Amino acid sequence: SLAPQAEAAGYSLLAFDSIGSTNSEALDRARQGTPGPLWVVSPHQRSGRGRRGRAWEGPAGNLAASLLLDVTCDPSVAATLGFVAGLAVEQALRISLPALEHGSRLRLKWPNDVLLDGAKLVGILLESEMMMGGRRIVVVGIGINVVAYPENAPYRATSLAASGAHLSAPSLFETLSATWLACHAQWRNGDGLPEIRRQWLTRAAGVGEAVAINTGSEIIRGTFETIDDAGQLIVRQADGSLKTITAGDVHFGAA
Ligand code: BTN
């Protein structure tokens, strides 16, 4: 269920035992005229979607949660909601599992992943659409590996269970519905990303370190300097120049 403060703030919830994709369901509901804010959650997706056209699948027991929001801000500002979600998920995990706080085992990875002990625990997929009548919506899709993780992923992955952290997906979701509210309020009151960006950077993996970013068309190497107020990654290249990256997969280390 939703945290009481989320319910009080007018959020509603649709829960499914099993679903194709919570993001697709939220988009369909929006097209049918359902207003946000609406959470769609399920412990099991049959055709979950990841970034860059990848699949996001797993057995029952994980958490798939998508938040449908109506937005009026500029699309480039709406695109920074993924950082709000990353921060909210990381906070929910820290509240639910205080043991993870020690040794900074939880880290945010650009753009919107959450890592546990350096392996991917959480993925976030943002989708937006312009609807009839000028309505603009964003769906913030959050996938958390509670009991299982993909073994054939092109990156190192983990789950809470594999790390010895036992937690039920429904109680994690309830906490998340509350931390989202707090982070989203900061984002709204803070004129978009600046305040969220500051917090995100203190929790980020690899700042100041060597990174290689695969943008799909090229591989950019350098030092991870920071993110800007639009959420873009700033890399200092070997010749000293700064490069701004909008989308890509980050690899830590010089490789
Ligand atoms: C990634 O590739 O890292 C993003 C994964 C996003 C998965 C979540 S699970 C809930 C929501 N519904 C989907 O179909 N995808 C997102």
Side-chain angles (χ1 to χ4, degrees):
S1 54
L2 287 166
Q5 56 269 51
E7 222 163 287
Y11 282 63
S12 44
L13 173 66
L14 273 174
F16 294 83
D17 292 335
S18 172
I19 197 168
S21 152
T22 54
N23 260 37
S24 300
E25 183 68 30
L27 286 167
D28 282 348
R29 297 278 168 158
R31 290 178 193 128
Q32 291 158 20
T34 305
L38 166 72
W39 281 105
V40 180
V41 300
S42 181
H44 181 235
Q45 294 186 119
R46 297 179 301 273
S47 47
R49 294 183 285 108
R51 287 171 64 230
R52 305 170 82 78
R54 289 189 283 250
W56 181 271
E57 275 157 7
N62 284 344
L63 175 61
S66 296
L67 177 60
L68 165 65
L69 291 171
D70 284 85
V71 291
T72 51
C73 58
D74 197 77
S76 66
V77 176
T80 66
L81 283 166
F83 295 88
V84 184
L87 208 58
V89 173
E90 196 252 2
Q91 274 179 21
L93 287 164
R94 274 194 288 135
I95 291 169
S96 306
L97 297 161
L100 295 185
E101 180 121 34
H102 301 289
S104 304
R105 295 176 66 192
L106 288 169
R107 286 281 170 192
L108 297 166
K109 183 185 178 197
W110 189 87
N112 299 149
D113 294 352
V114 181
L115 305 179
L116 175 56
D117 298 331
K120 180 160 168 166
L121 178 70
V122 178
I124 292 176
L125 176 69
L126 223 68
E127 296 184 293
S128 52
E129 207 168 287
M130 171 76 97
M131 328 246 39
M132 297 251 276
R135 178 184 179 201
R136 281 192 292 120
I137 59 109
V138 173
V139 173
V140 184
I142 301 168
I144 306 180
N145 297 331
V146 176
V147 298
Y149 61 89
E151 276 162 36
N152 52 357
Y155 49 78
R156 212 155 64 78
T158 192
S159 68
L160 290 175
S163 307
H166 296 284
L167 183 68
S168 84
S171 81
L172 177 58
F173 172 72
E174 186 168 337
T175 306
L176 172 61
S177 71
T179 57
W180 164 267
L181 214 59
C183 292
H184 188 234
Q186 280 183 338
W187 179 85
R188 258 184 304 141
N189 303 337
D191 194 24
L193 201 56
E195 173 59 21
I196 291 293
R197 168 185 178 273
R198 205 183 50 72
Q199 292 178 47
W200 190 91
L201 281 167
T202 68
R203 303 242 146 230
V207 179
E209 294 172 17
V211 286
I213 299 111
N214 186 343
T215 67
S217 55
E218 60 177 333
I219 302 208
I220 294 156
R221 293 188 165 76
T223 305
F224 178 1
E225 287 283 321
T226 190
I227 62 171
D228 66 17
D229 281 347
Q232 303 175 107
L233 182 70
I234 313 284
V235 169
R236 187 172 298 279
Q237 295 176 292
D239 65 2
S241 64
L242 293 176
K243 181 118 183 159
T244 300
I245 297 160
T246 306
D249 286 327
V250 174
H251 299 271
F252 296 120

